[in-house]
Amino acid sequence: MTTLAISDNGRVLVPAALREELGFKPGTRIYAEVKDGSLVLTSASQRTAQRRAYFADLMKRLNVPEDASLVDEFIAERRAEAARD
C-alpha cells in the first residue's frame, strides 16, 4: 500500500508507479468520487467502460434485442407524432 500526502494547497501527488499501473498519463481526465468513505479515482475511459457495461446489463435485463437501436425507434416515434399533428 502506498501512502500519499496532501500538500498545503490541497494537492495530492500520485506516484509514478501507481499512475503507470492505472494507465494515467499526463492530461488524463480523472474523476473523483467518495464510495463507502473512500476516495475513488477513475479515468474517463474507465468511467465510459463502466457505463457501457451498466447499460448493456440493463438492456439484457429489459430483454431488448442486441441489434435494436433505441435512438432509431425514438426518432421514428417522434416523426410519427409530427405526422399526426
Side-chain angles (χ1 to χ4, degrees), residues 69-81:
S69 171
L70 299 181
V71 172
D72 289 341
E73 289 180 29
F74 178 75
I75 291 171
E77 288 175 8
R78 293 293 181 235
R79 287 182 177 155
E81 287 177 14

Side-chain angles (χ1 to χ4, degrees), residues 22-24 28-31 41-48 50:
L22 294 169
F24 293 172
T28 300
R29 184 169 282 305
I30 304 297
Y31 293 90
L41 302 177
T42 309
S43 70
S45 60
Q46 291 167 325
R47 192 170 172 97
T48 298
Q50 290 169 349

Side-chain angles (χ1 to χ4, degrees), residues 26-42:
T28 300
R29 184 169 282 305
I30 304 297
Y31 293 90
E33 63 183 317
V34 176
K35 282 188 178 177
D36 300 323
S38 296
L39 177 64
V40 178
L41 302 177
T42 309

Side-chain angles (χ1 to χ4, degrees), residues 7-19:
S7 69
D8 291 339
N9 61 2
R11 293 180 184 205
V12 176
L13 175 67
V14 179
L18 289 179
R19 292 192 312 268

